[in-house]
Amino acid sequence: MKRYITEKNLVEFEEYLYEEEKSPATISKYLGDLHKLMDFLKNREVTKKEIIAYKELLKNSRKYQVSSINSFLAATNSFFEFMGWQDLRVKSFRVQKKPFMPDNKNLTKQEYKRLVRTAERRGKGRLSLILETICATGIRISELSEITVPCVKKGAAEIYCKGKERQILIPKDLRKKLLYYIQKNNVKSGAVFKTSHGKAVDRSNIWKEMKALCEESGVEKDKVFPHNLRHLFAKSFYQIEKDLAKLADVLGHSSIETTRIYIKTPGCEHRRKLDALGLVLDVQKNTT
């Protein structure tokens, strides 16, 4: 029996993911990845040979990092499992984890402060406070809507994400700023940060506004995205606490291995440590 990926199959798969309580972002990504595969197949039958060819095409195109390709393959494998096509599943590429973060991805505390100050100078009070809220609490951008008026007044928020609930404490100075913002903008209830239409701001709003700060603040664009603020929180927290398990709880991670990714030092710092080992001998001058 021949097998094809159809829009009807994808609708059924979407319903399955919803019932499995996958996040909206995960569902959207899986469906987007499967539509890429459909574009590649061009109505051809799905076979193991075709999937392997697709996998190699992604790798050879050099448009995607291996980690991104593996995420595409995870979506296809999940779909094949749902359809009962286990024989079509393919192996992901093996990736050796880097012991450090690339310098061009490492957002420093000084750069973060420049972004906040730039937003303030531009009269972007909401944006500057959003940056501080994410960075000072370590929440995900998708969790920003959980920072509500009652939570700010209480000084803590109950965050439910990925099947887990955790409590986020709002630092005293941040709470003061948020209370002032609420009063000044007459925010009566619900999420503190709203669009002009009264809806909670989402990642697309914030992403674009953050990127617009780069040139004036002198921060590379590759470093500026909401999730990097969460990484900065994690590194700052760990420098004080040195407790990986506690940090995992604060971030809402199920695995400490995930948390380790957040506290990687930048490449330049890793290089300084290698230089400090003193394992390269001084060059001996030729005295003859």
Side-chain angles (χ1 to χ4, degrees), residues 1 9 66 81 84 109 133 177 202 212 222 260 262 288:
M1 183 177 178
N9 288 341
V66 173
E81 188 172 339
K109 191 177 290 187
T133 300
K177 287 189 173 187
D202 60 26
D222 285 346
R260 290 184 191 278
Y262 282 67
T288 60

Side-chain angles (χ1 to χ4, degrees), residues 9-34 74-83:
N9 288 341
L10 293 187
V11 169
E12 292 171 350
F13 182 55
E14 182 178 6
E15 291 175 357
Y16 163 76
L17 293 174
Y18 177 77
E19 290 171 0
E20 287 291 301
E21 300 184 66
K22 299 296 183 184
S23 71
T26 297
I27 295 174
S28 176
K29 184 185 183 307
Y30 273 30
L31 294 176
D33 290 345
L34 287 166
T76 59
N77 284 339
S78 178
F79 175 72
F80 294 153
E81 188 172 339
F82 164 74
M83 294 296 295

